[in-house]
Amino acid sequence: MPTEIFLQSPLDMHIHLREGAMLDLVAPLSAETFAGGVIMPNLVPPVADLERLEWYMGEVRRAVGEHIFTPYMALFFRNYSEADLAAVREHIIGIKLYPEGVTTNSEGGVKSLSDAEQTMAMMQDMDIPLLVHGEVPESFVMDRESDFLPIYDELAQKFPRLKIIMEHITTAAAVKLLDRYENVHATVTLQHLLITLDDVAGGLLNPHLFCKPIAKRPEDRDALLHAALTAHPKLMFGSDSAPHPLEKKECCGCAAGVFTAPVALAMLAELFDAHDALDKLQAFVSGNAQSIYGLRPPAKTVHLLKEPCTVPAKYGDVVPIRSGGEIGWRVV
Ligand code: NCD
Ligand code: ZN
């Protein structure tokens, strides 16, 4: 049984870094262990034009400081002209579509998918990936993702050359969809490999595990875990680490989002080790993303040891997953 591993250029393919003081707090925590990440655009207002994107990329780079970390910028989906897309193309990894009102800061999201098709057609022609928060906001909370799956079917068939990424999948049905279409890929978070709705709301309510999409049933978690542990080639790690200050989580009207970035790699090593699958971790946290997006991330070796470490109760005023608890692995 290995007691250490070396990961080459781990990538976090879905991360919320925020702006201002929160960005300064969390960006270095990601950059300590990851070589790059896909930076989500749901600021207020959203990152929805080239000028704001360049400003935000500069902010992220500044906050990351001396660490080796490439921010792969995602633009907020709206209807763009061909000239807009041509100008922004080389600065982005893809465009992130939020149905209107589906999650934190998605008020400017898409109201009608048919109105979005012209932009999607241009994205297909320009080879710009489409990243999707795939939930139907009007549906019952446990069904929001499964109700969205037919929309993925439709998009995958209508735009067979468009690279579609189902972000943060949470259901066994979404895992199955990966094998149905060549152009459909997915990210999965750490928490959705570990928890079910029981951990959020089955006993005492745990606001720090509340996120969108909500954690689902044991059979969903098991299907996600199986796909991750076998390094399904169309599945990438994307933490969806989403920091909110403590007073926005431990309150009535708790914000959605689990903060995992600083402990994600150690917890993934622990999880893959527990299932004798450490040999699949490299593909899951980097190789698959490199193949899917055609990325060449900066070289960065991360050394992990099978030694216990204690998770801080808080980072600044943000409570991480497993706050105050122990992880069986640590980053050297
Ligand atoms: C994210 C956030 O807080 O920005 N929250 C979450 O629960 N995942 C938004 C998102 O990705 O849905
Ligand atoms: Zn997210």
Side-chain angles (χ1 to χ4, degrees), residues 14-16 40 42 96 98 103 133 168 212 240-242:
H14 182 133
I15 172 102
H16 298 270
M40 290 295 138
N42 62 331
K96 173 76 187 286
Y98 294 88
T103 190
H133 185 122
H168 43 53
K212 301 283 180 69
D240 194 19
S241 182

Side-chain angles (χ1 to χ4, degrees), residues 44 169 267 306:
V44 185
I169 57 170
M267 286 183 67
K306 190 172 184 171

Side-chain angles (χ1 to χ4, degrees), residues 50-217:
L50 179 57
E51 192 188 337
R52 191 152 165 76
L53 185 104
E54 287 190 315
W55 166 81
Y56 191 35
M57 176 142 71
E59 284 294 288
V60 172
R61 285 194 192 282
R62 184 193 49 71
V64 157
E66 297 297 291
H67 295 289
I68 296 169
F69 182 86
T70 301
Y72 299 106
M73 306 304 290
L75 187 71
F76 193 91
F77 190 100
R78 60 177 175 81
N79 285 328
Y80 290 100
S81 69
E82 199 172 340
D84 291 335
L85 293 179
V88 81
R89 190 180 160 190
E90 66 184 277
H91 304 277
I92 62 173
I93 189 161
I95 302 185
K96 173 76 187 286
L97 185 152
Y98 294 88
E100 188 184 39
V102 76
T103 190
T104 312
N105 304 337
S106 60
E107 288 72 24
V110 169
K111 286 193 193 66
S112 139
L113 278 160
S114 51
D115 293 346
E117 284 180 5
Q118 213 179 350
T119 296
M120 290 179 191
M122 289 187 287
M123 288 169 64
Q124 166 168 265
D125 289 340
M126 291 187 196
D127 248 329
I128 300 174
L130 175 70
L131 288 55
V132 183
H133 185 122
E135 288 195 285
V136 176
E138 300 78 22
S139 289
F140 175 65
V141 66
M142 289 292 278
D143 297 336
R144 283 179 196 169
E145 179 173 296
S146 50
D147 287 355
F148 197 91
L149 297 181
I151 301 177
Y152 283 126
D153 280 303
E154 203 184 310
L155 293 177
Q157 290 171 35
K158 202 172 255 176
F159 304 107
R161 289 176 293 109
L162 178 64
K163 193 166 284 176
I164 298 169
I165 321 289
M166 305 188 286
E167 294 295 335
H168 43 53
I169 57 170
T170 59
T171 57
V175 175
K176 282 211 183 107
L177 211 126
L178 285 175
D179 297 323
R180 212 175 304 149
Y181 301 103
E182 210 224 315
N183 57 332
V184 173
H185 312 266
T187 60
V188 67
T189 74
L190 171 65
Q191 68 265 23
H192 293 113
L193 299 178
L194 291 172
I195 68 167
T196 69
L197 184 60
D198 255 354
D199 299 287
V200 186
L204 295 178
L205 186 68
N206 187 341
H208 300 294
L209 295 180
F210 170 63
C211 66
K212 301 283 180 69
I214 194 101
K216 303 290 189 311
R217 309 181 66 85

